[in-house]
Amino acid sequence: MAAAARGFGGVWCWVWQRGGGWCPAPAPRRQRAVSCNARGGAVLAGKSGLAPWVPVVGLEIHAQISSNSKLFSGSQVQFAAPPNSLVSFFDASLPGTLPVLNRRCVEAAVMTGLALNCSINKKSLFDRKHYFYADLPFPGQTILLMKFPFTEGKLRVDANVSVHHPGEPYGVRTEVKNINSIRFLAKAVDYEIQRQIEELENGGTILNETRAFDSKLGCTVPMRDKEGKQDYRFMPEPNLPPLILYDAKSLPANMNHQQVVNIDWIHERLPDLPSVKRAKLVEQYGILPEHSFTLLNEDGLTEFFENVVKQTQMKPKKVIGWILNDLLSYLKQHSLTVKESPVSPFLLADLLNLLEKKEISSTAAKQVLAELWKGEGKAPLEIVKEKELELIQDQKELEQICQAVIDGQENEVMAIKAGNQKVLNKLIGLVQRETQGRSNPVLVKQLLEKKLSE
């Protein structure tokens, strides 16, 4: 016996909507996936070039809810626990024991649905599946599958794939089960679409079957026929009453709030969703939208960025470059998380303040960052003094260096005076090399232009 919830708590899927990307949708009763054009409206041409095909893909995304106990029993959930060590009387199917739905799991499911902008059904019913189970073949034996925990900290995705001609009914679908990565999901869906098109183009038919994706071969292979032939024999679950959820309007006045699941109460406590956070980052700091994606995708990076911004005089648009291009590069190079970074937001802000006040050049700042990464406990200013990385403040000294560079580059000087201003960058670079990066490029450019115009 397998239990399945009708309506809320049942199967969830992601669908591709034209112009909108992947969107979540709850699968309705007795329907395994909700789907639409998987290619955002694009069609694939057949061999003749006259018969286009429209692929349709629905994704069932399965994830384990973070809970201390199982869904229908009070037994503890612990990944890789010894066999039979986390078993209650109910788990052992002792007579007289009844399932009790885990409230934490219901609240987590409601929270997930709200976060995905889905509508939550206030009433859900439970069904049992009755079918031949390979490990327990004798009649009457049943198993409540939903008692047992997952695939730890991982997702499992089932892809429902079909193809059809525009304007015709959807084709027969196949279900590719237990895909465990985004990369394999893309490969499995692409392969299955092409396989079905080729099968139909060659006069064959598509079977309503369950298939598996072989990641080594890069193809899908048949597993078993679908429920139509297997006959799961759904029956109402006698030991689980209907699940009733409430909102602020439907909650009776005399009801104990602690004994019910209130959708509005959960909604009020939801944190900002990623899309909202990204919009706020773009609006508040003036950064590019793609930068906001990176900040949120790296755990702790948003907080790191905001802490640096609070402690530095540098504008956020310049800070984000140091965060994404330099700090993140170091982290990935050493396989560290943001929280494991030896360079704290305070140290990076201190370094950027030196750069913003024009006490060091950007080249010198990168040298200081490399020293900070060693985690020796030195402050940026201390490293600057030790390595003699301060910008040369004596303008007369810079003028002498600029003049020496000009005197040694006659051809370049002639080119600049002939109107080729791009050559000036070479002279600036030569001055920078002579000063070991301790000269202000803006000031150097001004001095060179003045001397070349004399």
Side-chain angles (χ1 to χ4, degrees):
M1 172 190 70
R6 299 204 300 261
F8 164 79
V11 178
W12 291 85
C13 67
W14 286 72
V15 298
W16 186 273
Q17 292 186 344
R18 179 178 238 171
W22 289 107
C23 302
R29 179 179 178 180
R30 296 288 191 271
Q31 187 173 330
R32 298 295 298 274
V34 176
S35 56
C36 55
N37 194 339
R39 298 289 183 177
V43 294
L44 304 178
K47 291 181 179 179
S48 63
L50 299 177
W53 294 95
V54 179
V56 179
V57 179
L59 301 183
E60 302 173 13
I61 300 181
H62 305 262
Q64 181 180 1
I65 291 176
S66 178
S67 173
N68 294 326
S69 58
K70 299 178 184 179
L71 182 59
F72 290 120
S73 85
S75 298
Q76 183 183 356
V77 172
Q78 181 181 337
F79 184 75
N84 300 322
S85 63
L86 305 176
V87 180
S88 68
F89 290 148
F90 171 69
D91 296 329
S93 298
L94 294 184
T97 59
L98 294 173
V100 178
L101 183 59
N102 187 325
R103 176 184 176 132
R104 155 67 188 164
C105 292
V106 174
E107 292 177 338
V110 172
M111 185 180 299
T112 302
L114 292 173
L116 296 175
N117 294 319
C118 299
S119 58
I120 307 299
N121 292 335
K122 294 181 181 178
K123 182 177 182 180
S124 297
L125 306 176
F126 293 91
D127 279 354
R128 286 191 184 195
K129 290 180 180 178
H130 293 75
Y131 63 97
F132 180 88
Y133 199 77
D135 292 341
L136 300 163
F138 54 90
Q141 180 63 57
T142 60
I143 285 187
L144 190 57
L145 295 178
M146 295 175 72
K147 291 187 299 186
F148 302 102
F150 283 63
T151 62
E152 183 182 21
K154 291 185 178 180
L155 294 175
R156 283 292 182 269
V157 181
D158 301 337
N160 293 266
V161 182
S162 69
V163 298
H164 68 283
H165 292 302
E168 295 183 357
Y170 286 172
V172 176
R173 66 178 174 85
T174 61
E175 182 178 21
V176 186
K177 300 283 287 186
N178 295 328
I179 307 170
N180 61 7
S181 78
I182 297 297
R183 182 165 60 93
F184 288 162
L185 174 63
K187 289 184 176 181
V189 169
D190 286 343
Y191 175 87
E192 187 60 19
I193 290 172
Q194 192 59 40
R195 184 193 71 83
Q196 292 187 21
I197 291 175
E198 292 180 358
E199 182 73 24
L200 293 171
E201 289 279 355
N202 291 325
T205 58
I206 303 301
L207 300 178
N208 183 215
E209 62 182 352
T210 297
R211 301 176 69 89
F213 178 67
D214 189 319
S215 58
K216 293 182 180 180
L217 297 177
C219 64
T220 63
V221 294
M223 290 176 62
R224 62 177 184 269
D225 292 341
K226 296 298 288 181
E227 298 91 318
K229 292 184 178 179
Q230 196 163 346
D231 188 13
Y232 281 3
R233 290 179 294 167
F234 284 95
M235 298 181 186
E237 168 58 50
N239 294 326
L240 284 170
L243 173 61
I244 307 297
L245 305 180
Y246 297 89
D247 55 21
K249 294 182 179 179
S250 62
L251 185 66
N254 59 348
M255 181 74 73
N256 186 338
H257 289 232
Q258 296 181 349
Q259 294 180 345
V260 300
V261 175
N262 189 326
I263 300 171
D264 290 339
W265 186 88
I266 296 174
H267 191 272
E268 291 171 1
R269 284 154 181 78
L270 278 179
D272 283 342
L273 299 180
S275 59
V276 176
K277 290 182 179 179
R278 290 194 295 268
K280 287 183 177 180
L281 287 171
V282 171
E283 181 180 359
Q284 182 175 355
Y285 299 110
I287 62 177
L288 297 175
E290 52 265 34
H291 292 164
S292 68
F293 275 89
T294 306
L295 287 178
L296 284 181
N297 288 344
E298 297 290 336
D299 186 29
L301 194 59
T302 300
E303 292 77 10
F304 192 104
F305 165 72
E306 292 184 318
N307 285 332
V308 173
V309 170
K310 290 176 183 177
Q311 301 174 72
T312 185
Q313 301 168 7
M314 183 177 285
K315 292 183 178 180
K317 285 185 178 181
K318 294 174 65 176
V319 173
I320 194 68
W322 283 88
I323 295 288
L324 301 187
N325 298 331
D326 296 276
L327 178 74
L328 203 55
S329 176
Y330 274 112
L331 291 174
K332 291 187 180 299
Q333 182 180 349
H334 294 86
S335 300
L336 296 176
T337 65
V338 176
K339 296 179 181 178
E340 295 171 330
S341 172
V343 180
S344 66
F346 172 79
L347 287 176
L348 183 57
D350 200 13
L351 171 60
L352 297 183
N353 281 333
L354 293 176
L355 179 60
E356 191 67 12
K357 290 186 290 186
K358 295 183 172 53
E359 295 184 22
I360 59 175
S361 66
S362 59
T363 302
K366 293 182 184 295
Q367 292 179 253
V368 176
L369 182 60
E371 292 296 318
L372 289 174
W373 195 261
K374 296 178 181 178
E376 297 176 351
K378 296 179 181 179
L381 184 58
E382 184 180 358
I383 296 173
V384 167
K385 291 183 177 180
E386 284 183 0
K387 301 291 183 180
E388 297 183 348
L389 297 174
E390 305 99 325
L391 285 178
I392 297 174
Q393 302 297 333
D394 190 340
Q395 186 165 326
K396 290 185 178 180
E397 181 181 355
L398 276 180
E399 287 180 353
Q400 292 175 355
I401 297 174
C402 288
Q403 187 62 55
V405 169
I406 290 174
D407 293 341
Q409 304 293 324
E410 293 183 5
N411 293 334
E412 284 74 9
V413 171
M414 292 176 60
I416 293 172
K417 290 186 175 181
N420 189 352
Q421 294 298 314
K422 292 183 179 179
V423 181
L424 183 63
N425 292 329
K426 180 179 179 180
L427 298 186
I428 295 174
L430 290 173
V431 174
Q432 285 285 75
R433 186 171 67 181
E434 287 293 323
T435 61
Q436 296 181 334
R438 297 177 57 217
S439 57
N440 185 338
V442 177
L443 179 57
V444 168
K445 182 180 179 182
Q446 292 173 352
L447 292 175
L448 288 172
E449 289 175 338
K450 179 180 178 182
K451 289 183 175 296
L452 290 170
S453 63
E454 292 176 352

